[in-house]
């Protein structure tokens, strides 16, 4: 970046003038919105606007003299490039230590000074940690200021896309049934009221969908479940009269989006409000009427929606077959065109997205396609741009991580393909990652096992060689909802009771190896928790195992066969037989020939 004309330096200068005026020593800008979503509408992409760092996660702190961006290893290469010349330092943090900035602030801001953060985008749990740490250091926390507004002239407005209904049969459980099961959870918590801000929870409870947030079929809203009925706080005009009447029949009233705070303020004596401290903001918690009792616990819907019903699982299998067929069509084109026409990482995104768009039930992508050739594949969150992308030519490994939203499910798959000659070192990495994917895919474990405990099963073959990767092994996946959802997480996260593995959960398995500047390997499938038929049959309680849902060949040309055991080869061959059987009826011509060739036993 040219430091003389950097818009980032100018923005930081303007911000520091505002800090001086408000007598604030430091501003904290989390990557968050009032719904604590992963993908943020433009209006709340203040961290990106102020820092120039475009990664999906990261926390920015600007003090009167310093600026620092906190990001984990997934983003280091990208952040170093994007922050160059801005005057913002990259603070490299370990995965799972996202609150490092709290100690950083508490250690630097002098006692008596003030730290500001917009309470509208500060998670309640995080806000508590921040307040305790700053309080102990004698630093004041202010959450009533939105300091970005003053210096951000073209700040985007709230998204205003229409809301639509997720209809049966794909919406396999009725809105009334879902509200009833949420009320059961409220009753167990002793609550009369329950306030929900997370947009995927609201979409799940109401069987509504939208397109306010890129890649996630959700809409901005808050929901207050009351003793009689529920109130949906949603932007004017987003829900038409017919849909409003349908909702009213199920006891769901509409209210203006901005009305949530006032509704919380009206709660009082005799009311007990259930809120999830990880899923409600500090700003809205502060609005709750002082007479009301508050119970903090996980949203009942977060647990309920993670466990897909048998009917939902059946639709997911169908979506996976459609997605796999799209992959076959794409790869058949790709292998035919390679060396014949110019293919870049961007062409891959275009062609793969077009192949998905031809498939039944397709709605949109579930995240932006990652197509990374060689060194670009070593950046787990790489995204090719018009200004910077690689041409697929020569020798090496091509990593493609992509996914779709279908009316009957959400997909997420990573495959790696050989281009030209693949070195022995590349094959070794590839085979070790495949061993990790298989090792976890074949695991059996007691029902209720805390999902972080499973993480090392995927790392085991890599650790044996002294190799590590810096991201989690697996995330929960929604049902025509967010591609990343909780509460389970196969990662190094500190386990809590809500991360227990239960039947019906869908999770990714995606270990990797990344060699900066050289290549990256990741092999990702989605798996469903199903009861395991163990030899001991219940003597030690219920056991679970994984049904692999993703249907797409795993390249066998990159395998170093000497590194695989006979049982691993048998698993891979059985997987490929299933892939061929399930996908063959859905493809023809070159795609069928490609599927047949790529699913041959080894
Ligand atoms: Zn993925
Ligand atoms: Zn994934």
């Amino acid at each position: 970046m040219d430091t003389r004309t950097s818009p980032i330096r100018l923005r930081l200068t303007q911000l520091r003038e505002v800090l001086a005026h408000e007598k604030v020593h430091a501003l904290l800008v989390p990557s968050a919105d009032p719904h604590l979503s992963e993908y943020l509408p433009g209006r709340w992409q203040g961290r990106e606007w102020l820092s120039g760092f475009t990664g999906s996660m990261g926390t920015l702190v600007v003090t009167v003299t310093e600026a620092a961006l906190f990001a984990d290893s997934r983003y280091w290469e990208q952040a170093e490039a994007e922050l160059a010349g801005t005057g913002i330092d990259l603070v490299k943090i370990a995965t799972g230590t996202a609150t490092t900035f709290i100690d950083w602030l508490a250690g630097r801001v002098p006692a008596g000074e003030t730290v500001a953060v917009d309470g509208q985008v500060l998670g309640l749990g995080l806000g508590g940690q921040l307040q305790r740490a700053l309080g102990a250091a004698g630093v004041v926390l202010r959450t009533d200021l939105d300091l970005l507004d003053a210096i951000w002239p073209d700040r985007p407005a709230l998204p205003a896309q229409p809301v639509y209904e997720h209809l049966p049969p794909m919406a396999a459980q009725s809105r009334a049934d879902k509200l009833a099961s949420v009320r059961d959870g409220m009753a167990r918590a002793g609550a009369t009221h329950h306030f929900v801000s997370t947009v995927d929870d609201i979409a799940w409870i109401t069987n509504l969908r939208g397109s306010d947030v890129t890649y996630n079929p959700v809409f901005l809203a808050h929901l207050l479940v009351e003793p009689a009925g529920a109130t949906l706080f949603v932007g004017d005009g987003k829900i038409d009269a017919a849909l409003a009447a349908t909702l009213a029949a199920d006891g769901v009233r509409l209210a203006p989006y901005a009305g949530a705070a006032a509704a919380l303020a009206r709660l009082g004596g005799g009311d007990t409000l259930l809120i999830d401290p990880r899923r409600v903001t500090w700003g809205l918690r502060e609005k709750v009427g002082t007479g009301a009792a508050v119970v903090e616990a996980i949203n009942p819907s977060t647990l309920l929606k993670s466990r897909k019903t048998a009917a939902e699982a059946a639709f997911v299998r169908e979506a996976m077959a459609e997605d796999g067929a799209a992959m076959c069509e794409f790869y058949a084109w790709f292998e035919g065109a390679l060396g014949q026409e110019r293919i870049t990482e961007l062409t891959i995104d275009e062609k793969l997205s077009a192949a998905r768009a031809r498939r039944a039930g397709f709605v949109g992508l579930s995240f932006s396609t990652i197509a990374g050739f060689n060194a670009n594949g070593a950046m787990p969150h790489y995204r090719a741009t018009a200004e910077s992308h690689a041409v697929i030519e020569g020798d090496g490994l091509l990593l493609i991580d992509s996914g779709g939203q279908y009316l009957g499910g959400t997909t997420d798959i990573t495959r790696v393909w050989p281009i030209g000659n693949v070195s022995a070192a590349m094959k070794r990495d590839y085979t070790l990652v495949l061993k990790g994917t298989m090792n976890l895919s074949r695991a059996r474990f007691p029902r209720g096992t805390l999902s972080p405990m499973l993480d090392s099963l995927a790392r085991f073959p890599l650790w044996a060689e002294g190799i590590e990767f810096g991201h989690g092994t697996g995330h929960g996946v929604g049902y025509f909802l967010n591609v990343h959802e909780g509460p389970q997480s196969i990662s190094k996260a500190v386990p809590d009771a809500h991360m227990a593995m239960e039947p019906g959960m869908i999770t990714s398995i995606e270990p990797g190896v990344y060699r900066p500047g050289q290549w990256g390997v990741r092999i990702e499938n989605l798996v469903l928790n199903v009861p395991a038929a163990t030899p001991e049959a219940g003597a030690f309680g219920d056991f679970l195992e994984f049904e692999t849902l993703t249907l797409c060949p795993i390249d066998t040309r990159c395998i170093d066969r000497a590194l695989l055991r006979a049982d691993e080869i048998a698993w891979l061959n059985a997987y490929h037989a299933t892939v061929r059987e399930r996908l063959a009826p859905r493809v023809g011509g070159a795609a069928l020939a490609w599927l047949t060739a790529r699913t041959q036993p080894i």
Side-chain angles (χ1 to χ4, degrees):
M1 182 176 292
D2 185 335
T3 54
R4 291 161 301 178
T5 58
S6 164
I8 302 303
R9 282 184 176 268
L10 181 63
R11 288 167 192 169
L12 291 173
T13 302
Q14 289 175 331
L15 176 66
R16 289 192 171 111
E17 286 166 12
V18 175
L19 293 181
H21 183 258
E22 297 285 348
K23 299 189 168 50
V24 168
H25 187 85
L27 174 68
L28 170 64
V29 189
S31 300
D33 72 358
H35 308 278
L36 304 176
S37 298
E38 178 183 0
Y39 293 95
L40 310 176
R43 180 164 186 79
W44 289 294
Q45 289 183 3
R47 188 265 297 148
E48 177 176 334
W49 180 82
L50 193 56
S51 70
F53 170 61
T54 60
S56 56
M57 288 184 207
T59 304
L60 177 68
V61 177
V62 181
T63 77
V64 291
T65 53
E66 287 179 282
L69 181 102
F70 297 77
D72 70 40
S73 65
R74 289 171 295 176
Y75 301 102
W76 290 348
E77 278 197 67
Q78 179 186 355
E80 273 169 358
E82 291 178 342
L83 296 177
T86 61
I88 301 171
D89 297 324
L90 171 64
V91 179
K92 295 179 174 182
I93 60 172
T95 306
T97 58
T99 55
T100 306
F101 64 86
I102 295 178
D103 292 336
W104 189 93
L105 273 169
R108 267 163 216 251
V109 179
E113 294 282 0
T114 298
V115 170
V117 53
D118 180 3
Q120 293 181 84
V121 300
L122 176 66
L124 179 54
L126 180 60
Q129 286 180 51
L130 184 63
Q131 192 174 53
R132 283 189 292 277
L134 293 182
V139 175
V140 179
L141 176 66
R142 275 192 76 176
T143 58
D144 58 335
L145 299 169
D146 181 354
L147 297 180
L148 284 184
D149 231 23
I151 60 165
W152 193 355
D154 48 358
R155 185 173 188 174
L158 286 168
Q161 302 300 311
V163 172
Y164 59 95
E165 199 168 13
H166 189 212
L167 291 164
M170 274 76 163
Q173 197 184 350
S174 74
R175 180 181 303 117
D177 283 354
K178 288 177 171 177
L179 276 164
S181 47
V182 168
R183 285 178 195 286
D184 287 345
M186 290 164 57
R188 280 193 295 273
T192 57
H193 293 70
H194 173 38
F195 186 72
V196 190
S197 281
T198 29
V199 288
D200 56 338
D201 280 300
I202 293 170
W204 181 86
I205 295 169
T206 59
N207 278 347
L208 298 176
R209 296 293 188 270
S211 40
D212 284 347
V213 180
T214 318
Y215 306 121
N216 294 340
V218 294
F219 57 98
L220 300 190
H222 301 280
L223 181 72
L224 183 62
V225 185
E226 297 149 306
T231 304
L232 183 66
F233 301 91
V234 61
D236 220 22
K238 292 170 76 108
I239 293 183
D240 67 25
L243 184 50
T246 303
L247 291 168
D250 284 328
V252 179
R253 295 172 290 273
L254 301 184
Y257 177 72
L264 289 172
R266 282 194 293 274
L267 296 177
D271 296 332
T272 300
L273 177 69
L274 170 64
I275 52 170
D276 185 336
R278 292 189 185 175
R279 295 175 177 85
V280 165
T281 62
W282 182 270
L284 282 170
R285 169 65 184 86
E286 284 194 315
K287 301 288 192 237
V288 176
T290 47
V294 173
V295 180
E296 290 189 359
I298 191 169
N299 284 338
S301 51
T302 302
L303 293 169
L304 291 164
K305 77 176 163 54
S306 72
R307 297 188 57 182
K308 281 63 182 173
T309 64
E312 288 171 340
F315 285 115
V316 171
R317 290 187 192 98
E318 175 69 18
M320 290 289 171
E322 286 295 293
D323 205 57
M327 301 290 278
C328 290
E329 289 184 353
F330 163 75
Y331 287 121
W333 166 82
F334 176 77
E335 289 192 4
L338 194 63
Q340 307 295 314
E341 56 186 276
R342 187 173 185 271
I343 302 177
T344 72
E345 294 164 342
L346 289 178
T347 329
I348 290 169
D349 184 11
E350 269 169 42
K351 291 282 185 179
L352 182 52
S353 301
R356 280 200 166 93
R358 291 192 289 271
R359 287 286 146 184
F362 178 81
V363 177
L365 299 183
S366 57
F367 56 96
S368 68
T369 302
I370 298 167
F373 185 45
N374 283 340
N376 293 341
M379 291 181 266
H381 282 234
Y382 172 73
R383 185 171 187 192
T385 63
E387 299 77 39
S388 171
H389 56 264
V391 178
I392 314 303
E393 60 189 3
D395 299 321
L397 295 177
L398 171 64
L399 181 153
I400 304 177
D401 187 351
S402 65
Q405 294 287 1
Y406 297 81
L407 290 172
T410 301
T411 69
D412 179 5
I413 171 174
T414 309
R415 291 291 183 266
V416 170
W417 305 97
I419 305 297
N421 292 314
V422 172
S423 69
M426 291 173 180
K427 286 186 177 180
R428 175 175 172 270
D429 282 351
Y430 182 90
T431 310
L432 292 172
V433 170
L434 175 58
K435 285 169 79 79
T437 302
M438 290 195 291
N439 198 45
L440 180 51
S441 299
R442 300 167 66 198
R444 283 175 170 168
F445 46 90
R447 177 178 175 177
T449 295
L450 298 181
S451 42
M453 285 185 66
L454 301 173
D455 181 72
S456 62
L457 293 177
R459 295 179 197 268
F460 181 74
L462 298 164
W463 283 353
E465 304 294 322
I467 298 170
E468 175 65 311
F469 59 92
H471 57 74
T473 294
H475 51 85
V477 177
Y479 177 70
F480 182 35
L481 267 178
N482 296 358
V483 74
H484 294 154
E485 77 166 26
Q488 83 275 26
S489 169
I490 304 179
S491 68
K492 295 180 181 176
V494 178
D496 68 51
H498 302 122
M499 295 177 174
M501 281 300 212
E502 294 291 342
M505 287 178 163
I506 294 178
T507 315
S508 72
I509 294 180
E510 47 180 309
V513 168
Y514 307 95
R515 297 193 185 271
Q518 299 185 75
W519 64 79
V521 176
R522 182 165 66 255
I523 299 174
E524 175 182 26
N525 285 333
L526 301 190
V527 296
L528 174 70
N529 288 2
V530 295
T534 53
E536 292 276 353
F540 294 88
D542 295 341
F543 273 64
L544 297 175
E545 63 190 3
F546 294 126
E547 173 189 333
T548 296
L549 294 167
T550 301
L551 297 169
C552 179
I554 296 170
D555 191 88
T556 55
R557 295 163 296 178
C558 297
I559 290 175
D560 180 347
R561 206 171 181 285
L563 297 177
L564 293 184
R565 299 185 310 264
D567 59 303
E568 292 171 323
I569 290 170
W571 185 92
L572 186 64
N573 287 340
Y575 174 69
H576 277 147
T578 302
V579 169
R580 189 166 61 241
E581 181 189 315
R582 297 277 308 281
L583 298 188
R586 294 172 193 256
V587 292
L592 181 58
W594 181 86
L595 171 67
T596 307
R598 294 283 160 258
T599 52
Q600 289 305 308
I602 60 165

